[in-house]
Amino acid sequence: MQARPMGWARNPLTEFDQLLSEMSGLIESTVGGAAPAVAWTPLADVTESEDAFHVEIELPGVKSKDINVEANGQELVVTGEIKEKERKGVLRRSTRRTGAFEYRLRLPGEVDTEKINAQMSDGVLAITVPKAEVAKPRHIEISETSESTESSG
């Protein structure tokens, strides 16, 4: 491990990424060939309304053309890649994620995959997954009957 300059805070995630990178390099040099790339999972919120599931995934700096959204049954899969920026000068610190990402979500209940909508705005991918008509809750009215249970005798 390299010595850190004084005053620089330790970030466990950065250290973990560095460890993974070093292990990948070690495996590559030992076994030969490229080690498979490990996809990371972006941060996301999932909410449910009466008629749909709403997924918001944080993807700052990613263009919509670099994102792939697929639905298969009840599973929603979002994949893509954040490319490393070309920089001038020496990079002193980096905590941003780059490389391939993958977000998988298994939705409860039946969904209408034909009507899924995805929009990118301000670095947040918003996906709306409508519930299938079968899965939507509906109110059942209870009717009263005026049956006579009295018997004469």
Side-chain angles (χ1 to χ4, degrees):
M1 287 292 220
Q2 300 171 347
R4 288 183 191 84
M6 291 295 280
W8 288 63
R10 291 178 51 185
N11 183 340
L13 291 177
T14 303
E15 291 179 11
F16 184 71
D17 283 345
Q18 185 177 2
L19 180 63
L20 279 176
S21 177
E22 289 174 9
M23 287 173 43
S24 176
L26 180 63
I27 291 170
E28 186 176 326
S29 65
T30 306
V31 179
V38 178
W40 56 274
T41 304
L43 300 175
D45 289 335
V46 180
T47 56
E48 180 180 359
S49 65
E50 193 173 304
D51 60 349
F53 295 97
H54 306 278
V55 183
E56 292 181 338
I57 304 173
E58 289 185 10
L59 295 169
V62 181
K63 294 181 172 68
S64 57
K65 67 179 177 119
D66 294 331
I67 302 170
N68 185 36
V69 179
E70 292 183 5
N72 185 8
Q74 291 174 274
E75 186 175 44
L76 181 69
V77 181
V78 179
T79 56
E81 183 177 1
I82 295 180
K83 295 177 175 66
E84 182 72 37
K85 285 185 175 180
E86 199 171 308
R87 303 180 191 276
K88 294 181 181 176
V90 178
L91 181 63
R92 294 290 182 190
R93 184 174 185 193
S94 178
T95 57
R96 290 175 149 182
R97 294 279 196 149
T98 57
F101 63 85
E102 178 179 81
Y103 180 81
R104 288 184 172 271
L105 176 64
R106 181 132 179 105
L107 298 165
E110 295 296 319
V111 295
D112 188 350
T113 56
E114 296 297 318
K115 295 181 182 169
I116 293 176
N117 180 20
Q119 295 181 342
M120 187 72 158
S121 177
D122 297 328
V124 176
L125 176 63
I127 304 169
T128 302
V129 183
K131 292 179 181 178
E133 290 295 323
V134 188
K136 289 183 185 175
R138 67 181 189 102
H139 181 73
I140 312 295
E141 289 292 328
I142 301 171
S143 60
E144 291 198 28
T145 58
S146 57
E147 287 185 35
S148 243
T149 55
E150 297 175 23
S151 61
S152 51

